[in-house]
Amino acid sequence: NNNNSSNKDHFQQYNDGQPHPHQPMASTISSGVKSYCLSANIPFDYRAVDCVVTWLGSAVPKQRIHVVRDISRNLILELVKQRIVPRMRTLQLYILYTHMCKRNTEVHVNTVLDILEDEYWDRYKPAIDGDCRKASTVGVGVNRPHSNSRPTISNYSFQLLLECAREVKNIPLMHRVQGVREQLDPDFDVTAEWIGVSMYADAVEGDVAAIEEKISFMRNNHLPINQSVFESYLFAYTRVDDAQGAEQVLSIYLKTGLPVQYRLLSPLLRLYLSSEQFLPAVKIFNKMIEFNIPISSRHVDALESVALSQDIAKSAAPTILRLKEYIDINNK
């Protein structure tokens, strides 16, 4: 159907993640693709799935990308159920769609990892390496020129999987992504971006030593120490309530010329507020104003509570007022 409005209505069920009661679900759409292939005498194989997954990404509006992700998952799982290796590009597009959604990502990251880890692909290599008749006897199908391989993805796609797990702050899932990558490719090229994202798990666990070891590795291998490395390093110190260590990291970071963002300053701000340190907290607020970073009214309320508990509300009033005015200006 070349009618764009009709296509948009077709995916209306995924508006804000709420299924429309009168429209088919993603599983129904996926089944429809398979049924169409059968009725049109087109092999439902990795080629057909790759074409559909690729087309969906370009044809469906970005605000409906979650329907593309869900249909892609169903089609890929249908291939796997038939023991057909999905194309590398198909899996990578599915990962890209998952990364674009920024929500409900755990099940999709785990789906990719389950496929990559599936022992089936190795277990049946001897049979698959034979002729087509042998391949078909193990349920693989005869239409598989690359049947002696297992599903694979690029380093960049692994990076996206790790970022998806970090986005939802799922530390066990981050560890699983790293473990699967090391299992499938023990000698993979370690990039600064990969280390920077992986450090988030160390930071949440307050493992400052692990982060320092990775920073040492980066220096020894002449890898650039990027923004996410500093953010995780500072965050790790706050997780063990070491404000002095976090301040030292911040001091070094401010000399690098890298952009100062909320994610860098907020852990230290939360530490000072939770430990009722008024002046250090004000210092961080001033940094946020200096770099035009939005301030949460919740944090200003917490600062006001600290001033009241320390009986300095009167002297702190001008500071509190200035912060509230800054919030009002930024909200206009």
Side-chain angles (χ1 to χ4, degrees), residues 25-92:
M25 300 298 288
S27 58
T28 306
I29 298 171
S30 307
S31 299
V33 171
K34 184 180 179 183
S35 299
Y36 174 79
C37 288
L38 294 174
S39 64
N41 200 26
I42 300 171
F44 181 78
D45 60 6
Y46 64 91
R47 297 183 189 90
V49 170
D50 185 64
C51 286
V52 173
V53 170
T54 303
W55 174 82
L56 283 171
S58 60
V60 178
K62 285 188 178 180
Q63 60 266 33
R64 301 281 185 271
I65 197 66
H66 38 291
V67 71
V68 178
R69 176 198 62 186
D70 293 347
I71 294 174
S72 300
R73 178 177 186 266
N74 290 337
L75 290 172
I76 290 168
L77 288 178
E78 189 63 37
L79 285 182
V80 173
K81 187 164 65 175
Q82 297 182 41
R83 312 318 299 182
I84 300 174
V85 178
R87 263 186 176 159
M88 181 179 183
R89 181 176 65 180
T90 310
L91 283 174
Q92 292 182 167

Side-chain angles (χ1 to χ4, degrees), residues 167-183:
E167 190 73 23
V168 293
K169 301 179 180 178
N170 190 326
I171 305 307
L173 187 56
M174 289 187 70
H175 288 318
R176 188 183 179 205
V177 172
Q178 295 175 78
V180 171
R181 187 179 188 187
E182 291 168 3
Q183 170 192 334

Side-chain angles (χ1 to χ4, degrees), residues 120-318:
Y120 174 92
W121 312 113
D122 291 330
R123 189 185 312 138
Y124 284 103
K125 262 189 177 179
I128 295 172
D129 283 340
D131 60 24
C132 291
R133 289 189 301 276
K134 286 183 180 178
S136 64
T137 61
V138 294
V140 178
V142 297
N143 197 4
R144 258 185 73 187
H146 63 320
S147 59
N148 61 345
S149 63
R150 63 158 47 241
T152 184
I153 59 175
S154 68
N155 289 340
Y156 176 67
S157 291
F158 265 116
Q159 178 78 25
L160 293 184
L161 287 176
L162 193 64
E163 289 177 7
C164 285
R166 183 185 66 175
E167 190 73 23
V168 293
K169 301 179 180 178
N170 190 326
I171 305 307
L173 187 56
M174 289 187 70
H175 288 318
R176 188 183 179 205
V177 172
Q178 295 175 78
V180 171
R181 187 179 188 187
E182 291 168 3
Q183 170 192 334
L184 298 180
D185 184 12
D187 301 319
F188 70 88
D189 292 330
V190 179
T191 63
E193 290 75 16
W194 176 263
I195 295 176
V197 176
S198 68
M199 277 185 183
Y200 178 78
D202 300 320
V204 170
E205 293 164 350
D207 195 342
V208 175
I211 291 179
E212 290 177 339
E213 184 178 340
K214 289 178 180 177
I215 291 175
S216 177
F217 172 86
M218 295 177 78
R219 284 175 175 156
N220 292 338
N221 289 274
H222 307 291
L223 295 174
I225 299 177
N226 56 29
Q227 185 176 348
S228 60
V229 170
F230 279 102
E231 289 171 352
S232 293
Y233 196 15
L234 189 151
F235 184 34
Y237 273 115
T238 65
R239 293 288 290 180
V240 293
D241 298 331
D242 186 347
Q244 184 178 356
E247 285 281 6
Q248 289 176 350
V249 174
L250 178 59
S251 176
I252 295 170
Y253 184 87
L254 294 175
K255 297 174 184 175
T256 64
L258 292 169
V260 179
Q261 297 177 336
Y262 178 83
R263 191 161 56 184
L264 176 75
L265 298 177
S266 60
L268 192 52
L269 177 61
R270 288 195 299 269
L271 176 60
Y272 285 141
L273 291 173
S274 64
S275 58
E276 297 192 342
Q277 299 185 57
F278 183 84
L279 290 178
V282 170
K283 177 184 172 185
I284 300 301
F285 276 121
N286 289 339
K287 285 292 180 189
M288 298 176 87
I289 294 173
E290 177 185 347
F291 292 100
N292 199 29
I293 298 171
I295 291 175
S296 167
S297 58
R298 178 170 50 87
H299 287 151
V300 176
D301 291 342
L303 184 68
E304 196 167 9
S305 297
V306 171
L308 288 169
S309 67
Q310 296 182 358
D311 201 23
I312 56 171
K314 188 174 181 179
S315 60

